Amino acid sequence: MQYKNILEEEIKNRITRDFFQKFDCTGILGKIDFAVKMKRPQDAVDFNDEYLLWAEAKQKSADILAMLAQLVLTIGKARTFDKILPPPFLGCYDSEKIAFVPYSEIQDVFYQNDFNWNVTSSNHETKEFRQVYEQIKKIVENNPQQTYLFYFVRDEKELRQFIHDNFIAGKSAVAKNKIDKNNFIIIYNKWLETVKPTIQVSNWNTAKKAGIIDGDFYLADLLSDENKTLKEKLFVLLKTNHYELDRKIDESGFENFKTTAFSDNQKAHNAFWAKYERPPKEDYWDYIIERRDLLVPQDVRERKGSFFTPRRWVELSQKYIADVFGDDWQDEYYVWDCAAGTGNLLAGLANKYNIWASTLDKQDVDVMHDRIKNGANLLEDHVFQFDFLNDDFSKLPNGLKKIINSPKERKKLIIYINPPYAEAASTATVTGTKENKTNVAVTTKIYQKYQTKTGIAGRELFAQFFTRIYCEIPGAALAEFSKLKILQAPNFENFRNLFQAKLEKMFVVPADTFDNVKGKFPIGFFIWDTGKAENFTGIKSDVYDEQCNLVSTKYFSSYANTQTINDWLISTRNRVNEKNIGFISCKGNDFQNTNLIFIINDKSQLPHPRGTWITNKNFIEICIYFSVRKVIPATWLNDRDQFLFPNKKWENDVEFQNDCLTYTLFNNNISSGNGVNHWIPFAETEVNSRDKFDSHFMVSFLSGKIIKNAYTDLFWQLEEENKKNSKTSWKEGQKREFSLEAQAVFEVGKELWKYYHVQPKCNVNASLYDIREHFQGRNEKGKMNSISADEKYNGLITALRNTVKILAKKIEPKVYEYGFLKG
């Protein structure tokens, strides 16, 4: 077989045809060049892909070791083996040869410590590439019989025989898959599908309410040898062919426990674990146990606070505590984590005699006791089960109880927590995609006791923690991780009136640096002194990026006694002789709601409309509102910043008004398919329209010249009437003058409209949204495509977007100058 002087993709096609025709080679697996798997049977119902080969491809003759090194870097960067069971072989080929190496020979390379996988695999000059190259070279030289090299012309027959003998479904040509701290969650998700259904638990939801979760069964399996759990302190233990759990010592001193077995005589369990090497390396045991939180169902984690605080934020928080309380704080103060989970927030603390850790789950207590056995710097008697939102302080250990009951000692207590955040309702609840969690936050004794004082904020668990700490442990310090609601949210106003502690210091970090936290918003670490009464109004906070670099500072305000931008918007409603030309959807006053700000024809287009009609009498204010909410991109850091009622300076800034008008004209979702389009910013002659537009409202508004037709008459009254009570220095009937930046937008926009109007099936009354839809089309899900097959259109729309971006940057400083945002 000759494959010289043809393109790489064609080489792949021919090799598939000539040697791998019986297999499926069509799939794309990340950035792996060539992936061979078993074909799916036509009658298959439950079929899992089984890969046989992952290979690197080159067009011209290349070094085998270099190709394999590039393949390994590609796989290692994507952690492909964590998501999909690896094949028996890795390989590579070029125009003259193909090579195979058993995956089992290579796999240790993927598990090396302190290796930077985040490099470009095709760059053969990096130290990472050279390191992997040398490792593979050593493997090949030490085990030459495990490297199979075939030349397509010379070894065609041998190659076919090799594929015939080795590319067989289920053939065990690779060692058991290793489990480490990077893939144990991936394997857990597979275990949920395969093993969990065979464990004899009649109702997992009932078991979960009793504190029994499937993750503890997985831990028992994972940390076992020959089906016997090696860690006796775990809540669930695997005992060859059954599980033991919830072990207790009864009043007579005998050990009692529950047992459960398998419904299929352990067949699924044995088949599943036959694929994996158990237990993992002992180096990973403590980490896996510490990260039990990842095995806890999301709803339980929200309720019980089983969330892992990343180590870098733990260390940084302890540095800030030292800044406030002094370098000797660990010897001079007591520490209580009353939402400890598995205790990772306490890592790094030195004085175990001053530390207490409590948690809702007995399983977490068992985990901490096991970690103590393996060197964690805690005392067993200081680690205990306690329901902070329901239990009485009389249940506390004597040492901690004495501190709580002493006003003097309480001043030396730091309550150091990353509390649970579950609430009775969420955005998903409001939008109808989830049910209210009525049994999560509103049934605790603390909620019942303080709900009249905390208001809506009391429906969130973390606020209940803070309330009890403030009211029942007065004088103690509170060092805590939480969202910024406590500082800024309007719903937390009653809470802030109750919680009058002084905020000594804080920092913020991106929320998505915490496990399983989605969204771009800040999470803060706050140090409060409950012994100092102070009404929070604002503070300057340090800001860290995801790599723990101090990047800036930011002022956070409570926005007390301020009106919002939506208050201002409401003031533009119900003016004399107003006529509707559109509707603006509005929700919230902060950046997190940016995507819910848009302009459409009519409120009837929305199932639950919230917003304001756009009329001929509030049009400029709407354009300002829309632009102010849109020109500054939403980031994780400004996510909770509130837009405010502006000062009056904007009323005399005609250029600012016209810039906002321009920005809005080229950023809306008006469509002629949903009613008359009053938003065409050009006259027919400017864009060579084939016919008259149905409405000339916008071009009349821009030019100051009333172009009458059936629709325009709806909006234009006598000029004298229109001049009355105008809030801008511009009067109707006066031509608008635009800045150079705005003119650039109009010029590019005009070229786009012109190009659209030469299209054979153009809609004369098309809006910008209609034009985009015409050229870009929609995918099978009904979503508008991001680009078009028409290159000229792509150039025009890109140019328009670029000029709009420039205009947005011009508007941005005015947002702060006119008080829409605090600087």
Side-chain angles (χ1 to χ4, degrees), residues 63-70 92 129 132-133 136-137 140-141:
D63 176 8
I64 290 174
L65 298 179
M67 288 191 284
L68 287 172
Q70 184 170 335
C92 59
F129 182 90
V132 171
Y133 183 95
I136 294 175
K137 181 180 179 183
V140 170
E141 289 176 350

Side-chain angles (χ1 to χ4, degrees), residues 586-760:
C586 309
K587 185 178 183 295
N589 297 292
D590 52 20
F591 277 95
Q592 67 176 317
N593 289 294
T594 295
N595 291 336
L596 299 176
I597 310 298
F598 52 87
I599 292 173
I600 54 178
N601 298 62
D602 195 284
K603 67 188 296 183
S604 63
Q605 294 172 239
L606 300 175
H608 306 290
R610 292 183 64 181
T612 293
W613 286 108
I614 307 170
T615 75
N616 57 320
K617 297 301 181 69
N618 69 0
F619 182 56
I620 287 297
E621 287 100 325
I622 295 295
C623 291
I624 293 172
Y625 176 95
F626 180 82
S627 301
V628 163
R629 295 296 302 265
K630 291 286 192 178
V631 295
I632 302 174
T635 67
W636 73 267
L637 185 57
N638 67 18
D639 184 74
R640 272 25 178 194
D641 287 0
Q642 303 285 314
F643 289 92
L644 305 173
F645 199 113
N647 57 45
K648 292 183 177 295
K649 294 180 182 178
W650 70 268
E651 295 179 8
N652 295 315
D653 190 341
V654 178
E655 185 170 301
F656 168 71
Q657 296 170 28
N658 291 343
D659 284 343
C660 291
L661 167 59
T662 305
Y663 181 88
T664 305
L665 285 177
F666 294 91
N667 266 296
N668 59 75
N669 292 341
I670 294 291
S671 172
S672 61
N674 293 314
V676 177
N677 176 14
H678 300 293
W679 294 69
I680 303 175
F682 305 108
E684 290 91 341
T685 55
E686 292 181 278
V687 297
N688 301 322
S689 170
R690 300 181 183 186
D691 207 337
K692 287 184 178 181
F693 300 148
D694 285 345
S695 172
H696 296 110
F697 168 75
M698 197 57 65
V699 73
S700 298
F701 190 88
L702 298 175
S703 67
K705 298 178 181 178
I706 301 174
I707 304 173
K708 291 189 175 183
N709 66 15
Y711 290 104
T712 304
D713 286 341
L714 293 174
F715 305 111
W716 292 96
Q717 312 298 322
L718 295 173
E719 283 191 54
E720 290 302 316
E721 180 186 333
N722 286 329
K723 291 177 182 178
K724 293 177 183 178
N725 301 319
S726 175
K727 286 197 171 185
T728 73
S729 57
W730 180 89
K731 307 295 181 183
E732 284 89 341
Q734 177 181 337
K735 183 179 180 180
R736 290 186 170 270
E737 301 293 337
F738 292 94
S739 65
L740 293 176
E741 293 83 357
Q743 290 178 41
V745 175
F746 273 99
E747 286 301 316
V748 178
K750 186 189 300 182
E751 293 304 311
L752 178 61
W753 251 267
K754 281 183 178 180
Y755 184 60
Y756 171 75
H757 278 279
V758 301
Q759 303 304 309

